[in-house]
């Protein structure tokens, strides 16, 4: 896989993407072409050098009448989630296990408790999503899994499950950058590529990240700004403990 580095302040986030990831995100960029070999791009806080456009022009194409079916797995923080999604934007099955009650007494997420809860739930959640979709793993085109950013102990559970399924059923494994997924899913929620064309301005507000990003295309981003210290999401537990609504 091709390694991409996103600079976020003093942190370096390593991102692995493939041209199959472009295929899985057809709804996000509005093309019927699906390329499978590797791509790479490098995104800095102010400018982006991307070879994504060149990567899209591959030899492998898939007719619009044959959408890809992807199993997505997410375990980056305190929820265990899985969904079976098609490349034309349909959710065939989904399941989630929340840990809100587990962490409530502590006023925030306790990583080792979260990891064990993910381990207890991951097999059931994946099986439930597949059952709703009425599919066996062998019917999937690929497995996608969040590899970061997130809590490393929690991410490990989802990644191990995804690797196990990938090996057992000889399926491509897509390593997904958490913030990139947040940015691109906006197009799916808006109704597709025509409803929200590239480029668009995206404000990402999550537990550990606040980013203002210009989304030029899949794999092409310009970070325009971020918080000076902590993200807004990190303040919510503190505000809750202080009695703020």
């Amino acid at each position: 896989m091709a390694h991409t580095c996103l600079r976020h302040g003093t942190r370096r986030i390593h991102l692995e993407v493939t041209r199959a990831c472009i295929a899985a995100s057809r709804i996000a960029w509005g093309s019927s072409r699906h390329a499978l070999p590797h791509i790479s791009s490098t995104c800095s806080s102010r400018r982006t050098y991307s070879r994504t456009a060149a990567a899209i022009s591959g030899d492998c194409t898939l007719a619009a009448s044959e959408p890809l079916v992807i199993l997505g797995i997410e375990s980056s923080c305190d929820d265990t989630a899985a969904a079976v999604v098609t490349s034309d934007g349909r959710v065939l099955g989904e399941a989630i296990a929340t840990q809100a009650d587990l962490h409530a007494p502590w006023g925030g997420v306790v990583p080792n408790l979260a990891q064990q809860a993910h381990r207890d739930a991951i097999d059931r959640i994946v099986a439930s999503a597949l059952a709703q979709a009425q599919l066996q793993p062998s019917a999937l085109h690929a497995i996608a899994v969040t590899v970061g950013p997130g809590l490393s102990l929690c991410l490990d559970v989802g990644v191990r499950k995804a690797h196990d399924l990938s090996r057992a059923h000889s399926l491509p494994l897509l390593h997904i950058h958490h913030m990139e997924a947040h940015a691109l899913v906006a197009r799916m929620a808006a109704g597709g590529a025509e409803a929200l064309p590239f480029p668009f301005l995206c404000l990402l507000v999550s537990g550990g990240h606040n980013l203002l990003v210009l989304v030029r295309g899949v794999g092409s981003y310009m970070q325009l700004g971020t918080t000076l210290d902590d993200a807004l999401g990190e303040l919510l537990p503190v505000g809750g403990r202080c009695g703020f609504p």
Side-chain angles (χ1 to χ4, degrees):
M1 293 213 175
H3 292 270
T4 301
C5 177
L6 295 178
R7 292 186 180 274
H8 177 224
T10 59
R11 291 174 289 192
R12 296 170 63 88
I13 304 168
H14 293 285
L15 164 66
E16 294 177 312
V17 292
T18 68
R19 289 164 89 180
C21 186
I22 302 298
S25 302
R26 185 184 71 182
I27 190 65
W29 56 275
S31 171
S32 61
R33 295 189 62 81
H34 297 271
L36 295 179
H38 304 319
I39 70 168
S40 66
S41 62
T42 302
C43 175
S44 70
S45 62
R46 281 293 171 185
R47 40 184 190 165
T48 300
Y49 306 92
S50 179
R51 292 190 290 275
T52 302
I56 292 172
S57 60
D59 298 328
C60 181
T61 61
L62 190 66
S65 60
E66 303 175 38
L68 298 175
V69 181
I70 311 295
L71 170 66
I73 297 174
E74 152 66 19
S75 66
S76 62
C77 191
D78 57 340
D79 287 338
T80 312
V84 180
V85 182
T86 66
S87 57
D88 57 3
R90 291 174 293 128
V91 179
L92 304 182
E94 59 182 330
I96 186 169
T98 181
Q99 300 178 16
D101 292 340
L102 174 65
H103 300 291
W106 305 96
V109 178
V110 183
N112 62 315
L113 297 181
Q115 180 188 47
Q116 186 57 52
H118 282 302
R119 288 171 174 167
D120 295 340
I122 190 70
D123 291 341
R124 170 174 55 85
I125 292 301
V126 169
S128 178
L130 288 168
Q132 285 186 35
Q134 299 182 335
L135 291 174
Q136 295 296 319
S138 57
L140 300 169
H141 290 96
I143 309 290
V145 61
T146 305
V147 296
L151 298 176
S152 59
L153 292 176
C154 299
L155 288 165
D156 180 71
V157 177
V159 169
R160 287 179 183 275
K161 178 64 175 180
H163 275 257
D164 288 346
L165 287 170
S166 174
R167 285 193 297 266
H169 301 282
S170 299
L171 293 169
L173 182 62
L174 314 179
H175 289 184
I176 305 300
H177 188 279
H178 196 167
M179 294 299 102
E180 182 176 33
H182 277 310
L184 294 180
V185 78
R187 304 193 80 191
M188 182 176 176
E194 294 182 0
L196 186 60
F198 292 126
F200 63 89
L201 190 62
C202 179
L203 176 63
L204 294 176
V205 181
S206 70
H209 298 82
N210 286 164
L211 301 171
L212 184 63
V213 179
L214 177 63
V215 182
R216 294 166 164 168
V218 177
S220 179
Y221 313 95
M222 177 184 289
Q223 181 178 306
L224 303 177
T226 184
T227 49
L228 297 178
D229 41 43
D230 287 341
L232 179 63
E234 295 175 344
L235 301 179
L236 294 179
V238 177
R241 289 194 298 270
C242 292
F244 293 108

